[in-house]
Amino acid sequence: MEFVCLEDLVPQDHLLRKIDKYIDFSFIIEKVERSFADSKELHGLRYCRLRGLQNAGEQVLLTAACQNMKKIAIYLSKQG
């Protein structure tokens, strides 16, 4: 597995580097923090059950899939 730094991939004069000045992304940070807290408390992500980077990544993806299915079920139940 190779790790790549985003700073190396995005040129200094790219739009992505300038957009932070004009758009407030604080609402995204709050959503991600709530989702991560939910993962830790309700879906067992506080402690990794699987060892190794790849296995831990699989556990995170399965937890995210579980959260998405839960959101879909709540959405559909509200629809009728």
Side-chain angles (χ1 to χ4, degrees):
M1 180 180 286
E2 180 182 346
F3 290 99
V4 179
C5 181
L6 186 62
E7 297 293 325
D8 299 337
L9 297 176
V10 180
Q12 290 297 325
D13 60 341
H14 196 274
L15 176 65
L16 288 175
R17 295 194 181 270
K18 299 174 185 174
I19 201 165
D20 287 341
K21 296 176 188 174
Y22 303 105
I23 298 177
D24 180 26
F25 289 107
S26 61
F27 69 96
I28 294 175
I29 294 170
E30 292 172 6
K31 284 188 84 152
V32 169
E33 286 177 351
R34 266 195 310 265
S35 177
F36 185 67
D38 186 44
S39 298
K40 284 175 34 178
E41 294 298 320
L42 302 176
H43 300 287
L45 201 61
R46 182 174 294 278
Y47 301 106
C48 216
R49 289 182 173 82
L50 305 172
R51 299 292 175 243
L53 188 59
Q54 182 176 358
N55 290 335
E58 289 176 7
Q59 181 180 349
V60 170
L61 290 175
L62 288 171
T63 301
C66 176
Q67 284 182 296
N68 288 336
M69 286 187 281
K70 182 175 151 184
K71 287 178 187 176
I72 291 170
I74 291 171
Y75 175 78
L76 290 176
S77 70
K78 289 181 180 178
Q79 293 299 314

